[in-house]
Amino acid sequence: MKPIQNLFRICAVALFAVLFVGCAPKPNYSDNPEINRKVAELLSKMTLEEKIGQMNQYSGNEFTTGPQTDDTTVIKQIEKGQLGSMLNIVGAEKTRSYQEAALKSRLGIPLLFGLDVIHGFRTTFPIPLGEAASFDLAAIENGARCAAVEASAAGVHWTFAPMVDISRDARWGRVMEGAGEDPYYGALVAAARIKGFQGNDLEADNTIMACIKHFAAYGAPTAGIDYNTVDMSWGEFYNYYMPPYKAGAEAGVATFMNAFNDFNNVPCSGNTELVVDLLKGKWGFKGFVVSDWGSIGEMIPHGYAADKYDAAVKASSTSDMDMESRCYIEELANAVRDGKVKESVIDDAVARILTKKFEIGIFDDPFKYCNKEREDNLTLTAQTKNSARDMAKRSIVMLKNDNTLPLNKNIKSVAVIGALNDSKFDMKGNWAWPGDVESVVTVRKAFEDRGYKVNYAEGYSLETLKPTNVNEAIAAARNSDVVVVAIGERAMHSGEAYSKVELTISDEQQNLVAQLAKTGKPVITLVMGGRPLIFKEATENSGAVAMTWWLGSEAGNAICDVLFGDYNPSAKLPMTFPKRTGQSPICYNAKRSGRPSMLHYIDDDAKPAYAFGYGLSYSTFEIKDSKTSTQTIKGGEGVEVAFTLLNSGKVDGEEVVQVYVCDKVSSVTRPWKELKGYAKIELKAGQSSSSTIKLAPEAFGFYTNDGDFIYEKGEFDIFIGNSSDNLILVSTVTMK
Ligand code: NOJ
């Protein structure tokens, strides 16, 4: 080659390098340019194996939240830089010892410690479905805040919460972890929980990263069976399941978790339409995505991947971190060397993970969250317990009250019946492994603490829920002024993998209530469970019935607060309670059909036992003079609904005023009614006040099947009321 040609070649190569290599996209996942620079610098020093190590997460054996792998070499692997994160390692001292191992690796990259902090940490709050019943976003945010303060002091950087999966099927046991069936409200709760966990500053030592899970549509498994296939149209997904995930991304959640199920025929852990196109693409999500436990490897039994190598290849752009399937650590480097996965895909995932490690400040101080003194001082404090009690009383939904409640404080004795009424473990609820059992206040204990003579009888065995010594329970009732009986399911009967084919509380438990009623004493039934249950006979035999979910550390105190009227119940059901199991799935916002009057079964109608948004107060409220701010709008404009609320009862209380919208005719089928705004208003007895509920412009639009959000001209009915089945028409607004 002639020198001049040679020179030309060199210049061309240099120009190419400047244009393409020099301009290779730099990691840009933080708002802080300094962090982006540090991530790029660190990435440039890492070997392929070290990068893949960052994408690898194992579980410790403190809690078992998935199929545990017996691995005695974890510490050695950490020291070699083969792990980026651990879950289920808790406590300032324990996390410190693992972090020390990470610092011995060649580049000393600290570990992330993740944990399922679902409803509280050591102080346990009500299960999320119960909290959602409060319709009180400030209280929900505060619950997450308290959990973050306790967990961050115990070395936890990252919670796998909130679970925001919309579900209309109470057979699916994980409804307990979510906010119920409504997309609008679910989105608000998602944002509140993220704010509570993450605060305004991820770097603060009392905040933890949140994780929106499970992406996507995990709450709609066929036949309500956990892990089952999901079959859903995109239109259905965009309008009724997607909003809480999107709200989470918009609220700045640090991470997302893939779902176990498939979506549109592809397992979510390898679903590029969901993760690459929608989450990271359209929504511009800058955090990282962790798989669910083993879900990358589970693409093999799904029949979507041939082996671990294939699974690693297929998940590489959709799961940045592999929780426990070990596909990445075993196969991803080979796949890169074989040219099956581009190293730029690995760099992208690692950059996202490292960005979060920089943002929470563990490069500067790897031990900032492992602080024994903070752990001792900030855990189970009077403040966290007060918050838990406040949240718990706001979560109790009064379903029936024939003037039986509130109880007269002058009663002398109470028959506390039902083993669930005295089970600390159950009161805590599922998904509360770190919760302190000893300090849980049961219903029995709370009555005793208030100085009442408590005649306690188990009524049924906790192990089998079958009756034991019913005569003793009847005698206790006869000897008492009132009867408080707990029926339902055990805490561990809802949650992951706890799907049910029957939602009806057993005949034996319901008969127990009937027999107690025969004593002629006032019977108050507490329904305990993590999901909508069916309990018609028990209701008929009770003077009052309250849904008390699993209320956490302060359950008994909160229940007594409500039973004695120290707190006037204000919660509303965030999920429809069916009348018969065969009605599942069931929801208030079902789409319209061509034969509405024929939507029934030959052996029953299609009405629920209790509608979404239902819940009683000791007071009565009247909504008057409701009107909209306008009769006509354009696409992109909202509407205000003004009304006067009167507390027409004899006690102070709170009412959740709800506004629903019906898009009367549109180019796709739409529901009869959709919640689009609400206000929780506190009023003294006899007091009235004027308020306004703002309906955002989005209340009058919808997603097309292609995922575009559009507004269409036409009429919208606007309804107001205190339950989805107790509404009046405010006005019909026309979009021009
Ligand atoms: C599996 C569950 O589906 C997920 O929600 C949880 O975060 C992980 N296990 C880790 O415990």
Side-chain angles (χ1 to χ4, degrees), residues 66-139:
Q68 193 78 41
T69 315
D70 195 12
D71 193 333
T72 50
T73 64
V74 174
I75 292 290
K76 288 211 172 59
Q77 294 180 58
I78 294 173
E79 287 173 357
K80 282 192 205 150
Q82 292 174 342
L83 268 148
S85 174
M86 294 284 299
L87 72 148
N88 293 337
I89 301 278
V90 186
E93 281 165 1
K94 192 98 180 247
T95 48
R96 175 177 288 273
S97 69
Y98 278 76
Q99 201 63 295
E100 278 164 357
L103 297 183
K104 289 185 192 153
S105 63
R106 186 180 77 92
L107 293 167
I109 301 176
L111 288 169
L112 272 180
F113 295 109
L115 188 76
D116 292 287
V117 181
I118 306 293
H119 51 112
F121 184 66
R122 301 280 188 231
T123 312
T124 311
F125 282 65
I127 58 167
L129 188 62
E131 288 193 350
S134 69
F135 279 77
D136 188 329
L137 296 175

Side-chain angles (χ1 to χ4, degrees), residues 57 59 63-67 87-88 115-116 118 159-161 163 165 174 177 211 213-214 218 226-227 257-260 290-294 323 431 433 496:
Q57 183 191 51
S59 173
F63 310 112
T64 306
T65 57
L87 72 148
N88 293 337
L115 188 76
D116 292 287
I118 306 293
T159 173
F160 306 125
M163 185 193 98
D165 303 311
R174 295 195 82 169
E177 280 177 73
C211 178
K213 71 187 188 185
H214 306 82
Y218 180 48
D226 204 9
Y227 314 125
M257 184 186 288
N258 300 129
F260 285 123
V290 63
S291 76
D292 202 343
W293 184 304
M323 183 192 287
W431 282 116
W433 323 119
E496 187 179 347

